[in-house]
């Protein structure tokens, strides 16, 4: 398999994994009506997935640095298929939560290996793909699930069966893929040691992570808002139909993927500046529209916020992985995703609890949005510090000097 074909395969798997995680979003209303849970149950189902990803990243995130990328990716695909089978046959809410936990474990195991493999194949294009694929997958999964739920028969089965078929085909492709990180002597012992939960950052990466982490937190907190509460908010604003509710997350994530691709030639610092500024402006516009009861304004603000999500995450990924050596890549990317899923999962669960307590979606969204804006401004202040360390060019390599002052 050629490097280009390998990179395309790896990107497609990331897209499928994130699409799989977004697929249940439009189904929560159906599940809730059948099994008797509301906003709190929805955000709990969303939150347990994020927590499972976090735990899996901490335990399994560095495994492919020792065992190789292919076996870890194949194990992740197998776990994702099992999770989707559980969701397809779920008879109750407990089974839904079980399926979401299994999805989170499989995603956490595979995402670091997939991202590292993309960098192994091509450092420049791999960094761009790492920042683009999550948004593309989330957008495709949410949109496809919305279409299936609204127009296809057996909606709680069809979307999952479609994703299972795609994953099985991708598994065959991984079997044909050349290993990008061959095992070295003593790998088994190091692999066992890597299972001890921790986030280990190489010395050269640490100052970059201090700059990038607030940006990652801000943009993924925004994703958590849309993934957990956007469908309910769209209904509050007068939107009708499952598909329209799903389009909020699709807009945010789809624009994020497009922005990351369009702005790929910009420096990492520029991307993060554009990202956090767009998040702040987009969320402020969204909150204004919610206050005015404008559905059109809500989607316009979501479009601007999506630019921030894509640009900010792309810049953060490039900032951090630019200093990682090949044998450190999976662990470093896993650490980035730990920050991301902390930002996405914890606020979403808290917001869902508040909705269940106060019964007002718009009030909770307003407070959540204000918190995201404040977090964005904090990230901006950190990025503008003179001692902040950010790679200078659009295609920063592992050899980029770490000590590089940012000039405004």
């Amino acid at each position: 398999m050629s490097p280009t074909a390998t990179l395309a395969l790896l990107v497609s798997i990331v897209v499928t994994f994130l699409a799989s995680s977004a697929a249940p979003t439009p189904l929560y209303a159906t599940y809730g009506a059948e099994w008797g849970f509301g906003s709190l149950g929805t955000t709990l189902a969303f939150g347990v997935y994020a927590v499972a990803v976090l735990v899996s990243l901490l335990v399994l995130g560095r495994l492919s640095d020792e065992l190789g990328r292919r076996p870890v990716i194949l194990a992740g695909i197998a776990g994702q298929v099992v999770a989707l089978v559980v969701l397809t046959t779920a008879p109750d809410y407990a089974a839904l939560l079980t399926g979401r936990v299994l999805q989170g474990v499989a995603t956490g195991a595979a995402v670091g290996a997939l991202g590292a493999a993309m960098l192994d194949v091509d450092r420049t294009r791999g960094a761009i793909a790492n920042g683009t694929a999550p948004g593309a997958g989330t957008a495709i999964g949410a949109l496809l699930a919305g279409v299936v739920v609204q127009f296809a028969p057996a909606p709680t089965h069809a979307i999952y069966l479609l994703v299972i078929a795609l994953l099985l085909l991708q598994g065959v492709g991984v079997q044909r893929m050349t290993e990008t990180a061959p095992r070295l002597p003593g790998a088994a012992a190091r692999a066992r040691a890597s299972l001890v939960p921790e986030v280990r950052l190489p010395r050269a990466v640490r100052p970059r992570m201090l700059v990038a982490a607030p940006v990652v937190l801000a943009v993924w907190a925004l994703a958590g808002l849309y993934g957990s509460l956007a469908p309910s908010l769209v209904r509050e604003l007068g939107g009708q139909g499952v598909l329209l509710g799903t389009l909020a997350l699709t807009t945010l994530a789809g624009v994020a993927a497009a922005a990351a691709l369009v702005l790929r030639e910009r420096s990492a610092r520029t991307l993060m500046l554009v990202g956090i500024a767009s998040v702040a402006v987009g969320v402020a516009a969204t909150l204004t529209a919610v206050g005015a009861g404008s559905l059109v304004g809500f989607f316009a603000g979501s479009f601007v916020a999506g630019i921030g999500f894509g640009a900010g995450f792309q810049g953060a990924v490039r900032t951090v992985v630019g200093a990682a050596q090949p044998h450190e890549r999976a662990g470093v990317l896993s650490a980035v995703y730990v920050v991301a899923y902390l930002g996405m999962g914890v606020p979403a669960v808290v917001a869902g609890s508040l909705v269940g307590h106060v019964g007002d979606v718009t009030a909770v969204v307003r407070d959540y949005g204000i918190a995201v804006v404040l977090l964005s401004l904090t990230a901006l202040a950190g990025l503008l510090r003179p001692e902040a360390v950010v790679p200078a060019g659009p295609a920063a390599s592992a050899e980029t000097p770490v000590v590089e002052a940012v000039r405004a």
Side-chain angles (χ1 to χ4, degrees), residues 7 28 38 77 99 107 111 122 128 165 189 210 217-218 240 247 256 319 336 343 345-346 351 370 389:
L7 185 61
Y28 287 139
I77 289 175
T107 301
V111 70
D122 188 305
I128 294 170
L210 288 175
L217 278 171
Q240 301 296 319
L247 282 177
T319 296
V336 173
V346 174
I370 291 172
V389 178

Side-chain angles (χ1 to χ4, degrees), residues 327-358:
H327 65 281
E328 301 166 339
R329 285 172 179 161
V332 169
L333 277 169
S334 294
V336 173
Y337 277 104
V338 165
V339 176
Y341 279 91
L342 274 173
M344 182 177 74
V346 174
V349 172
V350 172
S353 300
L354 291 174
V355 170
H357 181 67
V358 304

Side-chain angles (χ1 to χ4, degrees), residues 3-298:
T4 299
T6 299
L7 185 61
L9 172 64
L10 295 167
V11 170
S12 75
I13 297 171
V14 175
V15 168
T16 304
F17 266 71
L18 272 295
S20 174
S21 73
T25 299
L27 290 168
Y28 287 139
T30 302
Y31 290 140
E34 183 175 350
W35 298 331
F37 66 84
S39 297
L40 178 58
T42 297
T43 52
L44 181 59
F46 183 85
V48 295
Y49 166 79
V51 171
V53 173
L54 276 172
V55 174
S56 183
L57 284 166
L58 289 170
V59 176
L60 304 173
R62 294 177 289 135
L63 198 57
S64 74
D65 285 336
E66 309 300 343
L67 297 182
R69 314 299 186 204
R70 289 175 67 246
V72 176
I73 294 171
L74 286 170
I77 289 175
Q80 190 72 245
V81 169
V82 171
L84 291 169
V85 170
V86 172
L87 291 172
T88 303
T89 58
D92 52 31
Y93 184 64
L96 171 65
L97 293 182
T98 300
R100 292 296 279 165
V101 169
L102 291 174
Q103 274 194 311
V105 172
T107 301
V111 70
L114 287 162
M118 288 190 280
L119 291 167
D120 295 340
V121 173
D122 188 305
R123 188 180 300 161
T124 300
R125 291 188 297 168
I128 294 170
N130 269 292
T132 305
T138 302
I140 291 170
L143 179 61
L144 187 59
V147 171
V148 168
V149 170
Q150 185 146 343
F151 300 110
T156 57
H157 298 80
I159 184 62
Y160 300 134
L161 294 175
L162 179 63
V163 177
I164 287 172
L166 187 55
L167 285 167
L168 293 175
L169 288 174
Q170 291 168 332
V172 173
V174 174
Q175 292 278 19
R176 297 170 56 87
M177 186 183 89
T178 302
E179 176 57 69
T180 63
R183 293 179 63 172
L184 300 174
R190 292 195 303 274
R192 287 192 295 271
S194 74
L195 297 176
V196 177
E198 65 175 342
V199 178
R200 179 184 300 171
L201 289 176
R203 185 179 300 275
V205 174
R206 293 171 195 169
R208 297 176 181 227
M209 180 64 90
L210 288 175
V211 175
V215 178
V216 176
L217 278 171
V219 299
W220 281 79
L222 178 66
L225 170 64
Y226 277 75
S228 60
L229 293 178
S232 298
L233 183 59
V234 169
R235 287 194 298 271
E236 289 285 329
L237 294 174
Q240 301 296 319
V242 174
L243 182 57
L244 185 60
T246 305
L247 282 177
L249 179 58
T250 300
T251 299
L252 180 82
V255 171
L261 192 61
V262 170
L263 298 173
R264 64 188 181 276
E265 296 300 327
R266 302 295 182 181
S267 70
R269 177 177 182 269
T270 299
L271 285 171
M272 289 193 291
L273 285 171
V274 169
I276 54 181
S278 298
V279 166
V281 172
V283 173
T286 299
L287 295 180
T288 301
V290 170
S294 171
L295 188 61
V296 173
F298 169 75

Side-chain angles (χ1 to χ4, degrees), residues 341-404:
Y341 279 91
L342 274 173
M344 182 177 74
V346 174
V349 172
V350 172
S353 300
L354 291 174
V355 170
H357 181 67
V358 304
D360 188 346
V361 173
T362 56
V364 173
V365 168
R366 181 197 62 221
D367 293 342
Y368 194 134
I370 291 172
V372 170
V373 171
L374 292 175
L375 188 57
S376 300
L377 295 177
T378 301
L380 177 62
L383 185 60
L384 292 177
R385 288 183 299 114
E387 66 271 23
V389 178
V390 179
S397 71
E399 289 74 34
T400 303
V402 176
V403 183
E404 179 176 342

